[in-house]
Amino acid sequence: MTGAESAGGAPGVAVVSGAATGIGRAITARLAASRAGEVIAVGRRSDRLAGLADRLGPRVVVVAADLSEPDGARRVLAAVAGRPVDILVNNAGGNADPHRVQELDALAEAWRANLHANVLPAVLLTHALLPLLARPGGRIVTVGSVAAVRGPATYGGAKAALHPWSAELAAQLAGDQITVNVVAPGYVTDTEFYGDRMSSDLHADRSRRSPMNRGATPEEVAATVCHLAGPEAGFITGQVVHINGGALLAGR
Ligand SMILES: NC(=O)c1ccc[n+]([C@@H]2O[C@H](COP(=O)([O-])OP(=O)(O)OC[C@H]3O[C@@H](n4cnc5c(N)ncnc54)[C@H](OP(=O)(O)O)[C@@H]3O)[C@@H](O)[C@H]2O)c1
């Protein structure tokens, strides 16, 4: 439930981007199990979305859309069909160019690719849905990354851009009792984030970045996202909540 529901209104919809795999799948499953309203699950690959809908049941409605483009956000807006949006989770993203390039054309392309992959989906979808956000009680949670504070630069720089954007929105929407926060995970297991690059060596390396010597599960990240999206978090806004098993502690 959001603040809007707990105030007595009928549940509106929840919208989750990047919903078919990894962290987004865990968020979608948790929202579908814990609240009454419809969950609109967005991603680009229809086959992945169909599998999600089969598993989670009729309250999860899938929309295939590329959220880096305005038409993708418009497609989601059409699926919402004027209903109030209680919860918006901007989770779609990933490291679109993990190579540390130096050549100028390649460098420009790497920055463009990561801004396109990580900033535009959150900005376009949020601004498309903003008029429908439940007032009071709407929740916007955007998935950032520990990379925003320590790189790698093109991906981390794109994730870092979400911080001031989210903070400005939080200030603008606070009077409407809408909260806006970023959840910034460190390494998370069981996602498609690393694609073909994943190996036991890479897993061990990323796990060592936390003094707990492991990554988060998608469900651990989803629990934090869903807390911020829930009625008990109505006074938390404008924050970046890190979930990384202590990976940023001093002395590491
Ligand atoms: N895994 C980690 O270690 C880690 C750490 C910190 C932060 N994160 C962040 O966590 C978020 C979720 O990633 P994940 O780790 O769960 O990896 P993932 O399994 O690759 O999930 C990303 C999801 O986003 C969707 N997506 C990507 N671009 C999209 C677009 N333009 N429009 C619509 N959907 C799009 C993908 O599906 P389609 O390809 O079908 O669209 C995919 O389902 C990302 O923002 C990522 O940057 C991940």
Side-chain angles (χ1 to χ4, degrees), residues 18-24 42-45 48 65-68 91-95 117-118 121 143-146 155 159 185-188 191-194:
T21 65
I23 297 167
V42 190
R44 289 169 301 189
R45 287 169 295 174
R48 294 309 187 104
D66 181 352
L67 294 172
S68 292
N91 166 73
N95 190 346
N118 291 287
V143 177
S145 173
V146 70
Y155 171 64
K159 287 297 195 188
Y187 171 50
V188 184
T191 74
E192 296 185 359
F193 182 85
Y194 290 95

Side-chain angles (χ1 to χ4, degrees), residues 14-20 23-29 31 39-43 49 52 61 63 67 76 87-92 125 129 225:
V15 177
V16 181
S17 72
I23 297 167
R25 181 170 58 191
I27 294 167
T28 304
L31 288 176
V39 185
I40 296 180
V42 190
L49 289 167
L52 183 80
V61 172
V63 176
L67 294 172
V76 180
I87 297 169
L88 167 59
V89 181
N90 292 307
N91 166 73
L125 185 58
L129 299 183
V225 169

Side-chain angles (χ1 to χ4, degrees), residues 109-203:
E109 191 40 50
W111 276 97
R112 278 192 206 102
N114 262 317
L115 291 168
H116 194 77
N118 291 287
V119 178
L120 288 180
V123 170
L124 295 174
L125 185 58
T126 300
H127 286 265
L129 299 183
L130 213 45
L132 296 174
L133 255 286
R135 290 167 169 80
R139 302 277 189 265
I140 301 172
V141 184
T142 298
V143 177
S145 173
V146 70
V149 293
R150 70 172 188 200
T154 63
Y155 171 64
K159 287 297 195 188
L162 296 169
H163 295 185
W165 168 74
S166 185
E168 185 185 35
L169 265 184
Q172 281 172 4
L173 298 176
D176 289 332
Q177 307 300 318
I178 294 172
T179 67
V180 188
N181 293 288
V182 172
V183 169
Y187 171 50
V188 184
T189 61
D190 303 315
T191 74
E192 296 185 359
F193 182 85
Y194 290 95
D196 294 344
R197 293 188 296 139
M198 186 38 83
S199 66
S200 54
D201 283 352
L202 186 59
H203 170 71

